[in-house]
Amino acid sequence: MARSGVRGEGPAAGDTMFPRPRGGDGADDGAGRGKSRPHGDRRRRRRRALRWSATVLAVVILGTAGAGYLYYQHLNANLKKDELNLGDAKDRARKPKANAAGQTPLNILLIGSDARDSEENQKLGGAKDTFNTAPRADVQMLLHLSADRTNMSVVSMPRDTLVDIPRCTDPGTGKVYGALTSTITNDSLGRGGPGCTVATWEKLTNIHIDHFMMIDFAGVVSMADAIGGVPVCVDADIYSKSSDGHGSGLKLKKGTTYVKGVQALEWLRTRYGFEDNTDIARAKAQHQYMNAMVRQLRENATLGNPNRLRNLAETATSALTVDDGLGSVAKLYDLSKELKKVPTKRITMTTMPWQYSATNSGRVVPKPGDADKLFRLVREDIALDGKDKKESGATAESTDPAAADDRIAVQVQNGTRSSTRSAATGRAHTIAELLAGRGFTEAKADSSAVPGEEKTVIRYPSADLEGDAQRVAKALGIPESSVERSADTDGVTLVVGADWRSGTKYTAAKDDDTTPESAQAINGSDEKQCMHVNPGYTW
């Protein structure tokens, strides 16, 4: 996984990551129980300030109402915004359906940019000859917040993963970047902006992404300083520096150290010195930092200080680039309230299962089977810690009677494509003929490209077609749990999934909802995580 050249580590390259701002309610403000009303008002104001401290994206409105409004507008102006998805509509993933309570999951792509677009970023990133060149998305993490807000999953993708990057259009210049095959994923950022990285993830995983947050080198340093230090651990003295110039420069003694500022950036960028000097080990170090940071924010009583909070708000809003859906302090605060509902013990950090490319040395590709499985678990909102409460009970049969088989119009689509396999040829035509042979003479194959589906599914747009959809499912032996209402279709639509790539008999696969071991899951409450130091980088 080591990579040479101007984008390498230390003087030759850069990586960053977004230190995810989340937190709890803070600690007791230390005030006694005042008996007068003014004291009670002060206590209430303090408690409100402590609630804001739940996240570094919090806002403290100080002074008069007018000054508070101006400060709020100032923080909004700090935020940089960009478009969410720059890909074509055909490459976009379908929005997830709501659960029984009407709740939907939330997916946020966290992007760390290696841009050398300022004097500070150039100094921090090194590699002087790369100033103002196209940025790369050297850290990519998908944060999945469950629909019921009980758990959170994070999936990292190694920066050198070979993927298909879809066609993207730069929203500023109108320049169209053609689609690429078998290209390293971090190249996506330089093809119009973070919206192309989002489009690449959606094409690969078929997971609908609601928002993105991006941060650069300088942002990581300023955020790490504002947080006040995050505890990290190494099992030996480490100095990430080699004789040929590789390394982040990180120098720590064995045990736990609170890192902040430039040292935090060095930790997050370190590849040479951790385990086998690969990007995979670096992702583990980043997960350790994120987990420790969440615990630190939730436990740190000093975050109740109004001046500290104001600094955090200034720093966070200045450091981030977000999509329009998160483009105000109010929206970020609403997001922080959703994130803090998840207890630390229900946060799971993972790395996309991978294997080395057989054709491109030093690069990796999604591991067949395991990568698809991890993406499916996220797509279907299944907790990666294995602690989901399963819903029981069969799907209710429609009260609307089905039409006669030869009167039911069915559109059949080929959704057999997955992240590791191309679509099976002719599946829509084959299954449409199968239906016609069973009396559904209005069944037609749709030859247009559609997103891949892990499981075969039948969708219908309105209650008056529910019975028709269930009748088609019964005729093919497809379980009624795979029949769903969707506003994205205008009639009964059968999407042949990756679980039915061949043959004319459908057999529902038995679900295995356990997280693959190759995803290297780490629980957010695990305080014993300690990075193994490569013996060649000790001092």
Side-chain angles (χ1 to χ4, degrees):
M1 283 291 296
R3 187 176 58 164
S4 61
V6 297
R7 294 278 179 177
E9 198 176 55
D15 298 277
T16 177
M17 67 159 284
F18 168 66
R20 185 72 201 104
R22 287 184 298 273
D25 294 329
D28 182 24
D29 61 13
R33 291 182 173 270
K35 296 182 180 179
S36 66
R37 182 170 180 175
H39 286 292
D41 288 343
R42 282 198 296 272
R43 286 200 306 275
R44 283 191 290 273
R45 283 196 296 271
R46 275 183 185 170
R47 285 196 294 269
R48 284 198 296 270
L50 288 174
R51 286 197 294 272
W52 283 101
S53 72
T55 174
V56 295
L57 301 177
V59 180
V60 180
I61 305 301
L62 302 174
T64 65
Y69 175 75
L70 292 175
Y71 184 61
Y72 174 79
Q73 292 297 89
H74 162 73
L75 291 177
N76 279 339
N78 283 347
L79 285 165
K80 297 176 286 293
K81 295 182 281 291
D82 214 322
E83 289 195 24
L84 174 62
N85 193 315
L86 306 183
D88 295 336
K90 66 180 178 62
D91 293 318
R92 296 180 184 175
R94 188 184 306 276
K95 291 184 178 181
K97 61 181 180 179
N99 62 15
Q103 304 164 304
T104 54
L106 198 60
N107 294 306
I108 305 168
L109 188 62
L110 311 179
I111 302 171
S113 166
D114 78 343
R116 272 81 163 179
D117 55 358
S118 69
E119 185 177 341
E120 186 177 7
N121 277 330
Q122 184 65 61
K123 181 179 179 182
L124 292 167
K128 294 180 180 180
D129 55 342
T130 63
F131 184 72
N132 257 349
T133 55
R136 298 191 181 190
D138 272 354
V139 173
Q140 301 172 33
M141 295 184 178
L142 180 65
L143 185 153
H144 172 82
L145 182 62
S146 68
D148 61 8
R149 306 304 191 245
T150 63
N151 65 88
M152 186 190 311
S153 304
V154 176
V155 179
S156 291
M157 185 189 299
R159 69 174 187 176
D160 288 341
T161 302
L162 297 175
V163 298
D164 292 343
I165 299 177
R167 188 177 81 155
C168 292
T169 303
D170 189 315
T173 65
K175 179 178 179 179
V176 176
Y177 294 87
L180 298 174
T181 59
S182 194
T183 302
I184 54 175
T185 183
N186 64 355
D187 279 354
S188 59
L189 183 60
R191 300 171 63 78
C196 193
T197 305
V198 169
T200 301
W201 268 79
E202 288 206 356
K203 183 176 177 63
L204 173 69
T205 66
N206 199 24
I207 297 170
H208 175 79
I209 295 176
D210 301 281
H211 302 292
F212 75 81
M213 292 181 172
M214 184 171 70
I215 196 168
D216 59 15
F217 293 144
V220 169
V221 172
S222 61
M223 289 282 284
D225 276 337
I227 291 169
V230 172
V232 295
C233 176
V234 288
D235 65 0
D237 297 343
I238 180 174
Y239 183 38
S240 178
K241 205 71 172 178
S242 65
S243 58
D244 57 358
H246 288 302
S248 68
L250 178 71
K251 191 172 186 179
L252 296 176
K253 291 184 176 181
K254 177 181 178 181
T256 299
T257 303
Y258 280 73
V259 295
K260 61 180 181 178
V262 174
Q263 196 173 47
L265 178 62
E266 290 172 346
W267 174 274
L268 297 169
R269 296 182 65 199
T270 295
R271 178 177 70 207
Y272 293 99
F274 286 151
E275 298 187 354
D276 55 356
N277 295 342
T278 66
D279 199 40
I280 308 303
R282 172 164 42 198
K284 288 177 64 176
Q286 292 167 353
H287 292 166
Q288 183 186 139
Y289 181 94
M290 286 184 70
N291 282 335
M293 185 192 64
V294 171
R295 294 193 299 268
Q296 183 75 0
L297 285 170
R298 292 188 173 184
E299 297 168 3
N300 194 342
T302 64
L303 293 183
N305 183 294
N307 288 330
R308 181 73 170 276
L309 288 172
R310 184 171 56 205
N311 182 41
L312 288 171
E314 283 280 357
T315 302
T317 53
S318 298
L320 293 175
T321 299
V322 298
D323 64 281
D324 286 336
L326 290 179
S328 73
V329 170
K331 292 174 180 177
L332 289 170
Y333 178 57
D334 287 343
L335 172 62
S336 76
K337 291 193 296 184
E338 295 299 294
L339 292 170
K340 79 169 188 175
K341 292 177 182 178
V342 180
T344 306
K345 64 183 179 181
R346 294 301 311 278
I347 297 173
T348 306
M349 301 280 181
T350 64
T351 299
M352 179 200 76
W354 58 275
Q355 65 184 30
Y356 283 110
S357 168
T359 58
N360 198 327
S361 177
R363 310 301 192 197
V364 300
V365 295
K367 185 176 182 179
D370 282 8
D372 278 335
K373 182 180 181 183
L374 185 66
F375 297 150
R376 176 183 67 80
L377 294 177
V378 174
R379 193 166 51 244
E380 296 181 3
D381 197 24
I382 297 171
L384 299 186
D385 61 5
K387 297 178 181 178
D388 265 345
K389 293 180 179 179
K390 302 295 182 181
E391 294 182 4
S392 59
T395 303
E397 188 172 349
S398 173
T399 56
D400 180 65
D405 291 353
D406 61 358
R407 301 288 300 276
I408 299 177
V410 186
Q411 184 180 53
V412 184
Q413 298 177 336
N414 184 352
T416 56
R417 176 178 65 83
S418 71
S419 63
T420 54
R421 303 180 71 180
S422 57
T425 305
R427 291 304 291 160
H429 180 73
T430 297
I431 303 306
E433 282 193 340
L434 174 64
L435 280 168
R438 295 186 179 181
F440 294 87
T441 54
E442 294 296 312
K444 305 293 182 185
D446 178 5
S447 60
S448 61
V450 298
E453 296 281 353
E454 186 75 19
K455 298 179 182 178
T456 297
V457 63
I458 300 174
R459 297 189 172 98
Y460 62 94
S462 53
D464 60 310
L465 292 178
E466 182 181 20
D468 292 357
Q470 290 182 349
R471 171 64 193 137
V472 173
K474 186 175 182 180
L476 294 176
I478 297 171
E480 285 191 2
S481 59
S482 295
V483 178
E484 61 182 41
R485 185 168 176 170
S486 172
D488 295 331
T489 184
D490 56 7
V492 177
T493 302
L494 165 62
V495 185
V496 184
D499 60 345
W500 199 10
R501 292 180 61 88
S502 62
T504 55
K505 181 179 180 181
Y506 180 76
T507 303
K510 197 169 184 179
D511 286 338
D512 174 12
D513 293 340
T514 57
T515 301
E517 287 188 16
S518 55
Q520 301 178 21
I522 299 174
N523 187 274
S525 62
D526 184 356
E527 298 184 33
K528 296 180 180 179
Q529 288 293 315
C530 198
M531 289 303 298
H532 174 62
V533 175
N534 187 302
Y537 290 83
T538 58
W539 58 281

